Amino acid sequence: MIEASKLRAGMTFVTSDGKLIKVLDASHHKPGKGNTIMRMKLRDVRSGSTFDTTYRPDEKFEQAIIETRPAQYLYKMDDTAFFMDTESYDQYEIPVANVENELLYVLENEEVKIQFYGTEVIGVTVPTTVELTVVETQPSIKGATVTGSGKPATLETGLVVNVPDFIEVGQKLVVNTAEGTYVSRA
């Protein structure tokens, strides 16, 4: 059991009605009068819906034990993404809605980690940085410096990031997957 005051972003817990919930953001809030509350932005892992709620700091929840295994992203067909366990060669189907954000950072045949709650597949973890190629952006401006305001660039997975003015189509970029931001040229 874990208290609400100890829940942090990235942690997963089980509610009293059996829902598997992932913490997206948690903060203490002390109103002018009354007791401290925990404001939380949460996501129901199974349905994918996000919601905001508050808990008393001393409320207790069962912490979910999440296991991860190395896997390879195979392909996406219709509304399903297919992954293969790199050790057992088992294949897993995950609804695209549950891993939509993660798929913006992964190309076919790349390594990821699949998250399990017991035997149930609940999600995918991608590396902290990935290399992706620019497929569309405005032409570079002669004499542009690194300190410019930047321009949007569409990457090969469909992700759009803001990049410096000197970046051109065809260049490989390093992208931070936690924030979805440009880090450097590869």
Side-chain angles (χ1 to χ4, degrees):
M1 297 299 271
I2 186 167
E3 290 183 350
S5 61
K6 304 263 190 287
L7 290 172
R8 301 285 175 258
M11 296 176 86
T12 308
F13 65 93
V14 181
T15 61
S16 55
D17 57 353
K19 287 185 177 171
L20 193 59
I21 304 293
K22 182 172 187 167
V23 179
L24 301 177
D25 188 39
S27 61
H28 285 272
H29 181 69
K30 177 85 169 107
K33 288 183 178 177
N35 298 328
T36 301
I37 56 172
M38 294 296 298
R39 278 193 179 153
M40 299 200 177
K41 184 171 185 162
L42 306 172
R43 182 174 69 210
D44 184 323
V45 174
R46 293 182 180 110
S47 73
S49 62
T50 59
F51 57 97
D52 295 316
T53 190
T54 58
Y55 292 113
R56 292 187 318 276
D58 58 347
E59 275 188 77
K60 293 186 185 306
F61 301 97
E62 177 189 339
Q63 189 168 358
I65 307 301
I66 306 299
E67 181 188 339
T68 60
R69 292 190 204 142
Q72 184 179 30
Y73 171 53
L74 298 176
Y75 59 93
K76 178 171 71 171
M77 189 168 69
D78 300 325
D79 58 351
T80 306
F82 295 85
F83 297 85
M84 179 181 68
D85 188 314
T86 55
E87 294 166 357
S88 67
Y89 301 109
D90 291 338
Q91 284 197 16
Y92 301 102
E93 298 176 13
I94 303 176
V96 168
N98 293 6
V99 291
E100 210 163 9
N101 188 48
E102 290 83 350
L103 291 180
L104 290 173
Y105 301 101
V106 187
L107 295 170
E108 290 182 359
N109 301 320
E110 284 192 348
E111 298 288 316
V112 295
K113 295 206 180 304
I114 293 190
Q115 301 170 325
F116 289 88
Y117 176 63
T119 58
E120 179 184 2
V121 177
I122 60 164
V124 173
T125 305
V126 295
T128 52
T129 59
V130 293
E131 288 184 13
L132 296 170
T133 305
V134 176
V135 293
E136 185 184 322
T137 188
Q138 298 165 355
S140 63
I141 301 161
K142 189 172 178 80
T145 62
V146 177
T147 57
S149 61
K151 60 184 180 181
T154 304
L155 306 179
E156 56 194 315
T157 59
L159 178 68
V160 176
V161 294
N162 203 37
V163 298
D165 290 325
F166 59 83
I167 298 295
E168 297 175 5
V169 172
Q171 290 184 322
K172 271 196 172 297
L173 306 181
V174 176
V175 178
N176 176 331
T177 58
E179 299 164 6
T181 56
Y182 163 84
V183 176
S184 67
R185 286 188 280 191

